[in-house]
Amino acid sequence: MKNKIFLFIFLFFFCVFAQEQDDDIEIILDEDDEIILDEDGEQEEQFSGKMPVQIEFVEAEYDSSLFAQGIFGDVVMNLLISENGDVDSVSIVESLNEILDEAATVAAKKFKFQPAMLYDTIPVAVIVQYVYRFSINEELYEEEIISYDTSATNAVQSDFDNYEVVAYYKGEEKEVARHKLTISEMRKIPGLSGDAVKVVQALPGVARPAATLGTVIVRGTSTNDSKFLLDGTDLFLLYHFGGMKSTYNSEALESIDFYPGGWNVKYGDATGGVVELKSRKPRTDGYHGYLELSALDMSFMAEGPIGEKWSVLGTARRSHFGEIIKLAMKISGADNMVTLAPFYWDYVVRADFAPNDRHQFTFSSFSSNDSLAVILNEDATGGSASVTSGSAELREATNTLTQRLFFSVNGINWNFKITDNLQNFLAFKTENVYSSFGAMGFARSLTEINGFRYHDNLSWQIKDRTKINFGLDGYLGVVDMELDMIGYRGLIRHKRDDWVFSRTGVYANFEIKPVERWLIVPGIRYDYYSELLHDGSILPEFWDYGEKLHKGISGEPSFRLSSRYALNDKHLIKGALGTYNQSPKPQGQVIDSLYGNPNLPTTNAAHYVLGYEWQITDLISLDVQGYVNRQWNIPRMASYYDITTAKTVDDIKMYYSDAIGRSRGIEIMLRHNQNDRFFGWIAYTLSKSERKNPRINAISKSGWANYAYDQTNNLQFLASYKLPKNWEIGGRLRYTTGNPTTPIVGIEYDLTSNSVDRIGGVPNSERMDPFFQFDFRAEKKWNYKKSNLAVYFDIQNLSYFIYKSPEFILYNDFYTERHIISMPIIPSLGVRYDF
Amino acid sequence: MIFKKKLCFLTILSLATLAIVACSVNFNEHYDRVETSKIRPISYQFNKLLSNEEGSWQITNIAETAPGDTVLLEVFFAGDGEISRENIKFSACWNIYTDLYGNLAPRGEPKPFTPIISKIEPDMGGKIVRAVFKIPDDILENSDAIPNDLSGFLETYQIGDGIPYNLKTKTDALNFLKNFSENELFRSQIPAENIIKIDGLAQIFSCIYEIYLEIPGIPRTKIRHTARYHGRLWPVYVRKNYNPVLSYLSFYQGNHKLYDDIKKFSLSGNKNTYVIIGISEGWYGTDKFYTLKEAFSPNPELTTEKYSLRVFYSDNLYGKIELEDGIFLSILDFPAGGYSQNIIIHRDKLKVGDKGWIWIMVYDECYGVSNFPQGRSIVGVPIEFVE
């Protein structure tokens, strides 16, 4: 009942704030009107053409009483300028005064412009920032006459709030299942603490992760099955500390593309979904930056032009939550027991160089570090006793648990417009990873990875309705790993030098339009995995074709086909099917000669997607997708069942690849794009995802069991609204079916381990109670001439007071009692200064 | 590569979970709380038996069980309940497979066997089941945990280099160990510098087995132990493991920094006699501190051996007295020769006349030793609180 009430409230606000605008799909427009190609050579996501030119100005009415109060200055507005040059909507970006804001808004709606022109030929609707300046004419001061001044967007130097200009342009979407999100929307979503990357978890098709973890469960597949990219190449680590905050500063991002399935051949080595972060180019309209202090960390950014052809951006963050914990423990006296020393830092430096219209270079350096130390002090060890357990050979710091993960990515992106019809994108990045782990004398590891990643895409527009893309991508990494750990056989030493991983992928796809409204994109791809020993298939597999079609090379072909057909301007149907494969994950571990099974094959999948899009109004759109995904050759660790049932000891492996998965569902996304005050969406997923392996087959009647994150219903409301006086508030409401759990059908006393073992029934055949959560965010901003100051408050799980959503189940020692662990309320306060 | 990320993730997850759980959960039933109305197993001990000239068995206190050994298994059940020799079913799986992730699983169904079970009588606030049986002679030969082809196996454990024999198969290795244990001439042919490898070789060629007890009304009890040759090899070459001994238990009253000895209870005496403790005695604050000691192993030269302590409380004493332990007590070093641990007496919760049992169990572990056979001891102490 409560959920119905929330649904009603949200729908009410959704309808109230929905306002009609002219166009539909939003793209990003660079202010300085440069052509920037993405790796497909696509221009649809960047603007190339002319900005709007004002041809008619209307003077705002000014209340003279305000002059007496000394109120004058700038009102900064976002104007949505339609294809015919009219101002369709106005939103206040920087408020001056309530009366003056209103006066400027009324006047701005009467302005006339020459519309923005895409490629200098196509009129498009754009949002531009406009400064309406109420200033005092000193000479006429005594007469109390007010003069005015205006500035067009590209002349506004105090545009500190939204660098990117959002254009509502009917750009051609070529993917069947892509959700494109701009950073200006995402960083204000409640419950994400300003971390835009986490927004993916609020989209349809993505299961709710446990607590604040950063897992991305896409359409019933593991996080390992999804690919995370940064500007065309793989991102080594998405989150600090497994989900605390994204490693790449959201402020340095332009957009995030999320492909939950059925994506084209541009991306390989993934069977679940693809999340691509796209970094943004530095600003060239002056020097800007920010300083921010939040509950987790401190950060800063600075950017600006260097001459006419260069621009530079730099940002860095360092956490301080560890210091806060340390201080709290000291005050409470708990530091006598345990010392916690966690911290992370990261930095991004990006330099853009555009020597001419045909070449654009981006040089980037991105590093991240996570460090953790847990030190047991005297009180934790019972006074006089010392912690010296574990192996003598592993005893470097036996009272300390340490972990460090550092990586650095340095590279270059080169956009080259060879001819008007031929464009090339190249990304090349070196990657260095250092990881260490030590656990009180029980385990110790050191890993160093040096490698590189690359991606090249050549786009050739053969005819107006025919385009072809060729691509090459891959990586090569040399791993030097030492791992010492205590197992049941005592001390196991494992050292491996010069372990080489590499993948090479080649692809080609066509974009064909038999008629204007119909786009067909067939593509083929081949991925070669040097670290695997399996015989790859000679044909793209929509299911396991069997050994006869597997020969020799450790590579897999893929075939993918997608199509979109516009029934009219408002309605569109779409569909996709394709085969996908990836190196078995977790990469390296599962094919290790000692700890894994070197003979594992690629994990394979087939995706089938059907969808429908409805542009309900200019700002409101509906996307409905139905999907069926199949996965096979899923690696799984050997279990008790495998060991007990293996006919001979030679049949016992550390890992098997006999698990299969299936998932199907319907996803609905009702989205209201940002207008002057409101944006939000409703995302709903109805899904079923299951797994099957020999053990499940033996004990489940159907032979299938629910996937651990199978959530039948997943409903999310999300909304943000700008209030007067520079306040902005937002809410996020989530409801999901409870996660599956495995019933306990009996117990056994294990006297050697001093414990009670549970005997489980059919895996994941029961469920926890539903999950419900409400997050809230409020932000207040103070604007100054060239800067602003914002204070925000983000509170997660405000609904804890009325409903405690189950997160984990904790049993007592005998499994006779259980306790549901709920996520507590997590508040976050921050202050930010932009200039 | 991703393995590291998982470790990071698991670390954080564990810490977060611990923090949350520690603050919020309070169950009624705990493993260390013994409901005296329900009998349940809490500890066991293996003893290798030696036959003497009169044909009777002699208890050695050696926790080793080698192929062909006759052993005594004592399983202690705390609480009240009926257990008779007739309704206990013993079974065993002599072939337990272990993989490198620590997964243990029986290869094949457990096979019933009939040990010699002595008469079961109340003891130490519960009952002790004493069973005598023989470890199969071919337990190591038939173990799937030891591969038949030794290529790579000895290399993994860095053992083979020091053995001057071409050990290609499991049979080769086991024959070598048998000869070494039985044939002095054979032993003399091994260079002295390689003798040190014998202990390691015997560790590698060891296996785990499981004994199961099924008693009506009690969930199945599983006991895991190791079969290896150490008990048969000369002590000069290998280190046998013995069961630790809880020799005596002393109670001291006073500030735990400044003991004032007023109570002492010897475990060598009648273990069923109540220890009388006055709850009103005491000079320092609201609590009084008593010290429990000592546990030691008779083979203190085994310097890497560690001792862990578990204390069980009968339900009428649970929460009223408790061991003052560090939160990570289970991984503490427990120096050979003795150990002291404070027991906190919660005077505000106790009342005159409260009485019950505590059971103190100590067991040893030896990290870095393959398939270390765990030694154990348990004693039960009745306590009564008076004015």
Side-chain angles (χ1 to χ4, degrees), chain A residues 213 215 224 235-237 241-242 337-338 340 370 372 374 376 379-382 384-392 395 401 403 405 435 437 440 442 445 447 449 475 479 481 483 485-493 501 585-589 594-596 637-640 642-649 652 654-655 747-757 808 810-814 816-819 821-822 824, chain B residues 1-9 11-13 15 17 20-21 24-33 39-44 75-76 97-108 144-148 153 156-158 203-206 208 210 212 218-225 257 304 306 310 312 324-335 339-341 361 363 367-372 374 376:
Chain A
L213 299 180
T215 49
N224 285 327
L235 178 61
F236 181 79
L237 186 69
F241 289 118
M337 191 169 284
V338 180
L340 287 171
D370 286 14
L372 172 68
V374 181
L376 304 185
D379 282 3
T381 62
S384 59
S386 61
V387 180
T388 53
S389 287
S391 165
R395 257 186 228 159
L401 188 150
Q403 185 270 330
L405 178 59
S435 171
F437 180 76
M440 298 175 178
F442 292 94
S445 76
T447 304
I449 306 170
Y475 66 85
V479 183
M481 187 173 89
L483 173 62
M485 60 188 290
I486 293 174
Y488 270 79
R489 287 194 161 276
L491 180 62
I492 306 296
R493 309 208 66 174
F501 286 85
K585 305 288 171 62
Q587 190 172 23
Q589 181 185 346
L594 187 62
Y595 290 99
M637 190 182 281
S639 69
Y640 183 93
D642 299 302
I643 296 171
T644 54
T645 58
K647 287 181 181 172
T648 70
V649 70
I652 301 172
M654 299 296 286
Y655 273 89
I747 61 167
E748 179 177 73
Y749 293 115
D750 181 349
L751 292 194
T752 309
S753 302
N754 302 306
S755 63
V756 177
D757 293 343
F808 307 104
L810 193 68
Y811 291 93
N812 75 346
D813 297 330
F814 303 98
T816 52
E817 299 172 89
R818 68 182 205 171
H819 187 90
I821 305 294
S822 303
Chain B
M1 288 188 282
I2 311 298
F3 185 53
K4 303 295 128 200
K5 288 191 271 182
K6 279 203 133 184
L7 288 175
C8 165
F9 158 75
T11 303
I12 298 301
L13 178 63
L15 288 172
T17 307
I20 294 167
V21 168
S24 58
V25 180
N26 187 21
F27 289 118
N28 292 321
E29 295 185 328
H30 298 266
Y31 191 74
D32 55 352
R33 175 179 184 165
I39 194 162
R40 72 172 169 98
I42 58 174
S43 191
Y44 66 94
V75 185
F76 177 69
Y97 185 86
T98 61
D99 69 17
L100 295 179
Y101 288 107
N103 294 313
L104 287 91
R107 296 279 295 141
D144 285 335
I146 307 170
N148 289 316
F153 193 70
T156 300
Y157 292 96
Q158 300 174 338
Q203 286 178 40
I204 300 307
F205 291 96
S206 61
I208 290 172
E210 286 179 352
Y212 312 100
I218 301 175
R220 190 171 82 156
T221 302
K222 180 172 70 183
I223 295 163
R224 192 179 305 120
H225 205 63
K257 300 286 183 189
T304 53
K306 304 290 176 287
R310 292 292 294 256
F312 297 84
E324 184 192 45
D325 58 357
I327 58 172
F328 296 100
L329 177 69
S330 60
I331 56 170
L332 295 184
D333 189 9
F334 202 148
Y339 181 64
S340 296
Q341 186 74 21
M361 180 180 71
Y363 58 95
Y367 295 111
V369 174
S370 180
N371 290 343
F372 185 72
Q374 205 175 76
R376 287 180 169 239

Side-chain angles (χ1 to χ4, degrees), chain A residues 356-424:
Chain A
N356 53 49
D357 288 347
R358 293 199 174 276
H359 296 277
Q360 288 185 4
F361 295 91
T362 300
F363 306 90
S364 61
S365 178
F366 166 41
S367 288
S368 165
N369 182 80
D370 286 14
S371 293
L372 172 68
V374 181
I375 303 161
L376 304 185
N377 299 326
E378 191 174 304
D379 282 3
T381 62
S384 59
S386 61
V387 180
T388 53
S389 287
S391 165
E393 294 184 59
L394 301 182
R395 257 186 228 159
E396 286 180 350
T398 53
N399 63 335
T400 304
L401 188 150
T402 59
Q403 185 270 330
R404 186 182 174 216
L405 178 59
F406 164 83
F407 72 89
S408 176
V409 180
N410 302 287
I412 180 172
N413 287 11
W414 175 26
N415 287 297
F416 179 23
K417 189 176 180 183
I418 304 165
T419 68
D420 287 346
N421 295 324
L422 194 63
Q423 293 154 356
N424 190 71

